[in-house]
């Protein structure tokens, strides 16, 4: 009997303690006088997102709209059981990303050099390590380097035309073709390999690339928890990258590096620049290193670091650009006058450049760039940006103090769909980005590449790759929606990047025979 009583007492105490913990944990924002979004114990605020019933972008957009209409400066959320802070006011967003960057240096995403070497890349690295690597890698993305790689990029459009002709029929899944195109581009620019996924859709590169983004329920659950509560997962020493993907990429990069060093092969791509950094600590034609007075030794990178960077260039580079191209073509199919105008521009610019698509020619395609920007506004591939507070921060104009370790999410999708900044936000209107209208744009309302010192390092390359792909397609093909096209587009709930759910079918026909 005594044992029974003791057990009962233990049980009652546990329940009481759990209850007290829940009460305390989920009253965090209330105690700080921050308006709190409705939440449920255990699942937190974005319950449907956690349960993978709703896309992250959709859930965030709803929250943004609700609190913006209440005139809130910010709102307090719970992700699972961790607190999350969401700024709404764009001046506050600017403070966080740029002005007071020193308080928000990191993203607070998963990184574990030991258990998962591929996770130690620029996107996830923190503090000093990030800063050092960012300085080393910045010279690989200058416009001079883009010019150097341009040829390699245009080369990949040949395979694109071939596949388009082969698959011509009733309608085609354009998302898949473009995914194969950007896989080839990044494969040849980041890894120096001809991955041939345009010709061979089952190529290992394409399969592994897809595996990073198309996950099953359990893999995605791991990622959701990693995103919502990375601290918890770090303690468990779990690798985010699936073992087969990780082995594949590590081997590919290491083999290629070894081959080039042994045979003295030099190619015009990112990998070559990374190898130079490894061996020389600088890029030979770069004065900047000398100026900054960094010894070459300190500035060099290791083979493992090369692998992780090549991997993030691949991960960050192919899906973002191919979804942007997909959404662009979808919108152009629905808005035929805009498509015509873009095609006219491509033709006129090429005529001025003797029919050759050069770096300078691409730079001159301004209207095409407006189309890409309008696509990135409506469909930002990263609908939410994250930061973590690295130094206590008093939110300007309030008495709220964000503690060190507090995570933040910046609602890019909300800001870019806000009628205050973009009247009729549902309308696809590239003229929003015309020379004239751009002058009236409010700063920090267009964030598809992020901003501040953590801004996308590959933005130039991403823009260039998207432009080249679209120019090559518009020149020779006319696009239309078909009966098979799903409308409106549905977003994939099992992904943090903004992906369409299922395929995107478009109809097209050849209208010219122009080789680039
Ligand atoms: C249309 C194409 C692309 C889009 C929309 C895009 C978007 C973004 C965004 C939103 C961020 C986070 C910025 C922030 O937190 O403020 C980012 C970071 C990053 N992106 Fe991109 N990206 C694109 C293409 C690329 C390409 C082609 C590469 C590499 C070749 C790349 C490499 C990276 C890296 C390494 C980071 C982390 C930078 C750092 O933390 O220092 N991205 N990108
Ligand atoms: C984490 O895993 C790696 C390799 O899987 C191992 O080397 C390391 O010792 C582990 N660390 C902890 C704290 O368990
Ligand atoms: C498109 O957006 C990028 C990134 O914000 C910007 O640098 C570029 O000037 C924009 N181009 C146009 C035509 O608006």
């Amino acid at each position: 009997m005594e044992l029974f009583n003791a057990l009962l007492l233990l049980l009652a105490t546990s329940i009481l303690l759990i209850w007290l913990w829940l009460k305390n944990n989920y009253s965090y924002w209330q105690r700080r006088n921050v308006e709190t979004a409705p939440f449920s114990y255990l699942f937190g605020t974005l319950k449907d997102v956690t349960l993978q019933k709703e896309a992250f972008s959709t859930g965030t957009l709803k929250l943004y709209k609700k609190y913006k209409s209440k005139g809130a400066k910010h709102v307090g959320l719970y992700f699972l059981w961790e607190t999350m802070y969401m700024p709404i006011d764009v001046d506050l967003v600017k403070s966080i990303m740029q002005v007071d960057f020193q308080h928000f240096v990191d993203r607070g995403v998963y990184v574990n050099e030991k258990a998962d070497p591929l996770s130690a890349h620029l996107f996830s690295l923190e503090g000093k390590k990030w800063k050092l690597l960012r300085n080393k890698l910045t010279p690989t993305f200058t416009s001079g380097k883009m010019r150097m790689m341009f040829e390699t990029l245009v080369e990949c459009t040949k395979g694109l035309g071939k596949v388009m002709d082969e698959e011509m029929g009733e309608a085609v899944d354009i998302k898949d073709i473009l995914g194969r195109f950007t896989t080839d581009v990044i494969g040849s620019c980041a890894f120096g390999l001809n991955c041939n996924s345009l010709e061979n859709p089952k190529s290992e590169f394409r399969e592994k690339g897809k595996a990073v983004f198309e996950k099953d329920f359990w893999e995605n659950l791991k990622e959701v928890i990693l995103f919502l509560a990375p601290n918890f997962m770090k303690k468990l020493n779990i690798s985010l990258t699936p073992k087969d993907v990780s082995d594949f990429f590590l081997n590919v990069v290491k083999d290629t590096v070894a081959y080039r060093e042994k045979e003295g092969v030099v190619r015009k791509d990112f990998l070559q620049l990374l190898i130079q950094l490894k061996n020389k600590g600088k890029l030979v034609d770069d004065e900047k290193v000398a100026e900054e007075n960094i010894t070459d030794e300190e500035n060099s990178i290791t083979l493992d670091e090369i692998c992780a960077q090549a991997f993030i260039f691949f991960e960050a580079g192919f899906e973002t650009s191919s979804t942007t191209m997909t959404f662009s073509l979808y919108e152009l199919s629905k808005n035929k006058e805009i498509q015509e105008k873009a095609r006219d521009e491509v033709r006129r610019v090429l005529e001025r450049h003797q029919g050759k698509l050069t770096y300078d020619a691409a730079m001159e395609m301004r209207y095409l760039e407006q189309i890409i920007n309008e696509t990135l506004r409506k469909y930002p591939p990263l609908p939410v940006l994250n930061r973590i507070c690295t130094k206590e921060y008093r939110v300007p104009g309030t008495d709220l103090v964000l503690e060190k370790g507090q995570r933040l999410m910046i609602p890019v999708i909300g800001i870019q769909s806000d009628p205050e900044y973009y009247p009729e936000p549902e309308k696809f209107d590239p003229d929003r980005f015309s020379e004239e209208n751009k002058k009236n744009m409010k700063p920090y309302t267009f964030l598809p590449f992020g901003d501040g010192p953590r801004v996308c390092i590959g933005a130039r390359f991403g823009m260039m790759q998207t432009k080249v792909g679209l120019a090559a397609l518009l020149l020779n093909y006319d696009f239309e929606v078909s009966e098979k096209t799903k409308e409106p587009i549905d977003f994939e709930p099992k992904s943090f990047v903004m992906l369409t759910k299922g395929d995107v079918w478009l109809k097209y026909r050849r209208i010219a025979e122009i080789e680039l």
Side-chain angles (χ1 to χ4, degrees):
M1 212 50 199
E2 231 156 70
L3 183 67
F4 180 74
N5 281 344
L7 279 177
L8 208 63
L9 190 66
L10 193 69
L11 187 70
T13 323
S14 319
I15 291 175
L16 184 72
L17 283 178
I18 291 172
W19 186 77
L20 284 175
W21 181 83
L22 284 173
K23 274 281 163 227
N24 183 55
N25 189 60
Y26 290 101
S27 63
Y28 182 88
W29 292 120
Q30 199 189 350
R31 279 182 277 130
R32 282 166 188 253
N33 270 329
V34 176
E35 186 156 14
T36 315
F39 60 89
S40 71
Y41 282 3
L42 229 54
F43 286 113
T45 310
L46 291 170
K47 184 174 165 202
D48 285 350
V49 174
T50 311
L51 295 176
Q52 305 180 24
K53 285 196 282 195
E54 182 176 66
F56 193 39
S57 55
T58 315
T60 307
L61 181 57
K62 280 189 199 155
L63 278 177
Y64 176 90
K65 278 188 177 154
K66 177 166 172 193
Y67 290 92
K68 169 83 185 196
S69 69
K70 288 187 177 185
K73 189 186 180 86
H74 50 209
V75 55
L77 318 175
Y78 298 95
F79 270 17
L80 296 183
W81 52 85
E82 292 196 13
T83 58
M84 176 64 79
Y85 176 77
M86 181 163 105
I88 287 181
D89 176 51
V90 286
D91 293 322
L92 177 54
V93 168
K94 177 175 176 183
S95 300
I96 290 166
M97 299 182 83
Q98 180 79 57
V99 186
D100 300 316
F101 174 75
Q102 284 318 320
H103 295 260
F104 305 97
V105 179
D106 303 331
R107 293 207 171 83
V109 296
Y110 171 89
V111 49
N112 189 339
E113 267 164 276
K114 285 247 165 59
D116 187 355
L118 288 184
S119 73
H121 49 61
L122 196 63
F123 191 86
S124 60
L125 281 175
E126 308 196 322
K128 272 215 182 77
K129 276 192 181 156
W130 163 75
K131 181 99 192 88
L132 210 64
L133 190 65
R134 175 100 192 185
N135 284 339
K136 291 177 194 177
L137 292 179
T138 299
T140 61
F141 288 93
T142 59
S143 52
K145 302 300 183 304
M146 296 300 112
R147 209 178 267 276
M148 171 196 103
M149 278 180 239
F150 198 76
E151 234 178 283
T152 315
L153 177 56
V154 174
E155 198 58 32
C156 294
T157 61
K158 298 218 167 87
L160 182 59
K162 224 171 126 199
V163 172
M164 292 293 287
D165 291 341
E166 277 164 18
E167 310 225 339
M168 194 156 337
E170 216 12 61
V172 70
D173 175 15
I174 197 75
K175 181 176 145 189
D176 177 60
I177 295 188
L178 293 171
R180 281 149 65 189
F181 169 63
T182 51
T183 301
D184 281 4
V185 171
I186 297 284
S188 60
C189 290
F191 296 85
L193 296 173
N194 184 0
C195 6
N196 253 333
S197 58
L198 273 166
E199 279 178 31
N200 171 17
K202 293 257 169 308
S203 85
E204 199 166 7
F205 238 91
R206 173 72 177 144
E207 294 291 308
K208 294 294 187 288
K210 269 167 96 169
V212 174
F213 289 94
E214 291 174 11
K215 302 191 151 107
D216 65 21
F217 182 86
W218 293 109
E219 277 170 340
N220 197 56
L221 188 68
K222 187 163 95 180
E223 187 154 280
V224 169
I225 298 177
L226 271 174
F227 184 82
L228 301 181
N231 299 334
F232 174 70
M233 291 299 266
K234 262 181 218 175
K235 287 195 193 108
L236 298 182
N237 201 12
I238 287 176
S239 164
L240 172 65
T241 324
K243 178 107 175 58
D244 61 322
V245 175
S246 164
D247 286 348
F248 172 75
F249 280 101
L250 284 169
N251 284 335
V252 165
V253 178
K254 286 181 178 168
D255 288 351
T256 315
V257 172
Y259 169 76
R260 288 198 189 179
E261 288 182 339
K262 186 155 162 274
E263 307 286 330
V265 174
V266 175
R267 279 194 49 165
K268 296 178 174 180
D269 56 24
F270 279 124
L271 190 63
Q272 202 65 41
L273 299 170
L274 294 176
I275 295 174
Q276 259 187 48
L277 278 177
K278 173 168 93 68
N279 295 342
K280 300 211 175 71
K282 65 180 172 198
L283 301 177
V284 273
D285 53 346
D286 248 77
E287 305 301 318
K288 204 160 160 274
V289 182
E291 277 167 28
E292 282 181 359
N293 229 348
I294 314 168
T295 66
D296 297 349
E297 196 85 332
E298 267 175 46
N299 207 39
S300 73
I301 60 178
T302 65
L303 188 56
D304 266 346
E305 282 177 314
I306 289 191
C307 292
Q309 306 331 307
F311 182 62
I312 191 66
F313 291 174
F314 183 73
E315 239 191 295
F318 98 88
E319 187 72 43
T320 46
S321 302
S322 79
T323 39
T324 306
M325 276 186 248
T326 303
F327 286 127
S328 290
L329 286 178
Y330 167 72
E331 288 287 354
L332 293 183
S333 301
K334 294 206 305 177
N335 300 279
K336 292 296 289 258
E337 354 52 83
I338 300 179
Q339 184 178 155
E340 269 314 315
K341 199 169 159 192
R343 184 172 295 120
D344 270 356
E345 182 190 63
V346 174
R347 284 186 181 145
R348 266 185 294 110
V349 171
L350 283 182
E351 264 162 36
R352 279 205 295 275
H353 290 263
Q354 289 80 43
K356 260 189 87 71
L357 182 51
T358 59
Y359 181 80
D360 293 315
M363 289 302 111
E364 279 175 37
M365 296 176 185
R366 194 196 147 88
Y367 189 65
L368 190 56
E369 192 167 313
Q370 286 176 217
I371 289 175
I372 297 172
N373 280 5
E374 175 66 349
T375 307
L376 289 167
R377 177 194 72 79
K378 241 187 119 176
Y379 312 97
L382 264 67
V384 170
L385 299 174
N386 39 343
R387 293 288 188 270
I388 190 166
C389 180
T390 46
K391 201 161 80 182
E392 212 176 66
Y393 183 68
R394 176 182 293 275
V395 176
T398 72
D399 47 18
L400 172 68
V401 174
L402 297 178
E403 292 175 290
K404 189 174 168 190
Q406 175 59 53
R407 293 192 303 134
L408 294 82
M409 57 183 260
I410 295 158
V412 173
I413 182 74
I415 295 170
Q416 294 186 172
S417 320
D418 188 333
E420 183 187 334
Y421 313 128
Y422 299 98
E424 294 183 73
E426 284 308 309
K427 187 170 169 209
F428 184 82
D429 179 11
D431 286 337
R432 296 182 205 270
F433 292 91
S434 69
E435 208 101 57
E436 189 60 29
N437 292 337
K438 262 181 91 170
K439 286 188 210 120
N440 306 323
M441 257 174 83
K442 195 172 155 95
Y444 282 77
T445 54
F446 183 60
L447 299 165
F449 296 106
D451 213 323
R454 274 274 186 173
V455 69
C456 176
I457 200 172
R460 256 204 200 101
F461 188 84
M463 184 58 99
M464 189 169 88
Q465 150 173 266
T466 310
K467 244 183 186 174
V468 166
L470 285 178
L473 288 174
L474 289 172
L475 202 55
N476 284 323
Y477 305 92
D478 181 76
F479 292 88
E480 265 177 67
V481 285
S482 87
E483 297 91 63
K484 269 180 107 175
T485 318
K486 268 177 252 153
E487 289 192 88
I489 286 188
D490 237 357
F491 297 106
E492 175 57 60
K494 288 192 191 51
S495 171
F496 279 110
V497 275
M498 207 160 172
L499 293 185
T500 59
K501 187 172 177 178
D503 315 328
V504 177
W505 294 88
L506 292 180
K507 217 160 57 178
Y508 62 91
R509 62 193 168 86
R510 219 191 216 283
I511 48 168
E513 301 281 341
I514 303 170
E515 277 274 321
L516 285 176

